[in-house]
C-alpha cells in the first residue's frame, strides 16, 4: 500500500514559483522547471494552484502584496510628494538590485513579450502597470491641489515620467547596472521634481 503524499507548505511553494517566474518570465518558465523548483509532481501543482497561468497570477499578487507594495505604502504614508518619491525610488533600487534574489520589477519583467497564445497574461500585467501609473498621477494631482506643486506644472506628465523612470530602473537593474549608478540617476529625477515644487526648492 502506497504511503500518503508528503505534505507541503503552500506558501513556501508559491514563493519558489514566484521567484522562478520573476527571474524567467511567464512564457520562459516550463512546467518541468516548476516541478523541479517546487519539488512537486505536476498533478499536485495543478491540484494546489490550478493551471500554470493561475499559479503565475497568484505569484504576481503575492509580489504586489509583499515586496512590490513599496510604492503603494509610500504614496499613502508619506505626507509630502517629495518624501514619497524619494522613498519609492530608494526602495525600488534596493529591491531591483537585491544581490540574492531576482532583479528588476516582477510586473515589468515577467511578460513584456508574450505570444498571442498568452495575450491574456500580457494584457492583465499591462493593466497592473497602468494602475500603478494612475496611482502616481493621482498623488501628483493631490500634491498640486494641496499647494506642494506649482500651479502650472502637469501632474499627469510627472506621474507618467516617474512611472517610465521606475520601469527603466527595472530594465537597467536586470542588465546589471549597479545600485550606485541607479541612485545617481534617481537624484537627477528628484531634482526635476524639486524644480516643480511650489516652494521653489532645488
Amino acid at each position: 500500500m502506497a504511503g500518503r503524499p508528503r505534505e507541503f507548505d503552500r506558501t513556501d511553494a508559491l514563493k519558489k514559483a514566484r521567484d522562478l517566474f520573476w527571474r524567467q518570465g511567464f512564457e520562459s518558465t516550463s512546467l518541468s522547471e516548476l516541478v523541479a523548483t517546487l519539488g512537486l509532481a505536476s498533478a499536485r501543482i495543478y491540484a494546489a494552484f490550478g493551471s500554470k497561468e493561475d499559479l503565475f497570477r497568484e505569484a504576481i499578487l503575492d509580489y504586489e502584496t509583499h515586496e512590490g507594495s513599496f510604492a503603494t505604502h509610500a504614496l499613502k504614508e508619506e505626507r509630502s510628494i517629495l518624501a514619497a518619491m524619494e522613498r519609492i525610488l530608494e526602495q525600488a533600487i534596493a529591491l531591483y538590485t537585491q544581490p540574492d534574489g531576482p532583479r528588476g520589477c516582477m510586473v515589468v519583467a515577467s511578460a513584456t513579450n508574450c505570444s498571442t497564445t498568452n495575450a491574456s497574461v500580457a494584457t492583465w500585467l499591462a493593466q497592473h502597470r497602468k494602475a500603478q501609473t494612475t496611482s502616481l498621477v493621482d498623488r501628483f494631482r493631490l500634491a498640486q491641489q494641496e499647494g506642494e506643486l506649482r500651479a502650472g506644472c502637469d501632474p499627469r506628465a510627472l506621474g507618467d515620467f516617474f512611472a517610465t523612470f521606475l520601469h527603466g530602473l527595472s530594465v537597467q537593474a536586470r542588465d546589471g547596472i549597479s545600485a550606485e549608478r541607479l541612485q545617481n540617476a534617481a537624484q537627477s529625477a528628484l531634482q526635476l521634481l524639486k524644480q516643480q515644487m511650489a516652494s521653489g526648492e532645488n
Side-chain angles (χ1 to χ4, degrees):
M1 181 177 177
R4 294 177 62 187
R6 179 175 59 85
E7 293 299 320
F8 74 98
D9 184 329
R10 191 181 188 281
T11 300
D12 181 65
L14 178 61
K15 296 289 187 186
K16 289 178 179 177
R18 182 204 63 185
D19 287 355
L20 183 62
F21 283 128
W22 192 347
R23 287 188 177 93
Q24 300 186 177
F26 175 72
E27 273 197 2
S28 298
T29 299
S30 66
L31 180 59
S32 61
E33 287 174 311
L34 287 167
V35 167
T37 299
L38 274 60
L40 299 170
S42 58
R44 295 200 73 193
I45 294 175
Y46 288 133
F49 299 103
S51 66
K52 173 186 166 183
E53 182 174 335
D54 290 335
L55 174 54
F56 174 75
R57 288 174 182 254
E58 188 171 344
I60 287 288
L61 294 177
D62 181 84
Y63 169 83
E64 291 183 325
T65 301
H66 298 99
E67 289 87 344
S69 66
F70 61 89
T72 299
H73 289 296
L75 292 174
K76 290 181 178 178
E77 295 167 8
E78 297 295 339
R79 297 191 65 179
S80 77
I81 187 63
L82 181 59
M85 295 316 302
E86 286 175 336
R87 176 173 160 183
I88 287 172
L89 294 181
E90 178 184 358
Q91 294 182 343
I93 292 168
L95 176 62
Y96 298 169
T97 61
Q98 57 184 335
D100 300 321
R103 290 193 159 225
C105 170
M106 185 181 183
V107 181
V108 172
S110 291
T112 51
N113 291 303
C114 270
S115 65
T116 54
T117 304
N118 296 309
S120 63
V121 173
T123 300
W124 183 72
L125 285 173
Q127 290 170 346
H128 283 240
R129 292 191 294 269
K130 289 176 181 177
Q132 185 64 261
T133 299
T134 297
S135 70
L136 288 168
V137 171
D138 289 345
R139 184 64 183 83
F140 279 110
R141 283 178 173 154
L142 178 61
Q144 188 178 53
Q145 291 168 7
E146 294 182 342
E148 285 190 87
L149 299 176
R150 293 177 179 174
C153 80
D154 185 343
R156 176 179 289 178
L158 284 172
D160 288 343
F161 170 79
F162 277 98
T164 302
F165 188 78
L166 283 163
H167 292 172
L169 287 177
S170 174
V171 174
Q172 292 286 74
R174 286 180 72 90
D175 286 346
I177 302 300
S178 70
E180 181 181 4
R181 286 180 59 184
L182 297 181
Q183 288 161 357
N184 289 338
Q187 289 306 309
S188 295
L190 291 169
Q191 188 61 36
L192 180 148
L193 175 57
K194 290 176 183 179
Q195 292 170 1
Q196 300 301 318
M197 304 295 287
S199 63
E201 179 185 355
N202 53 52

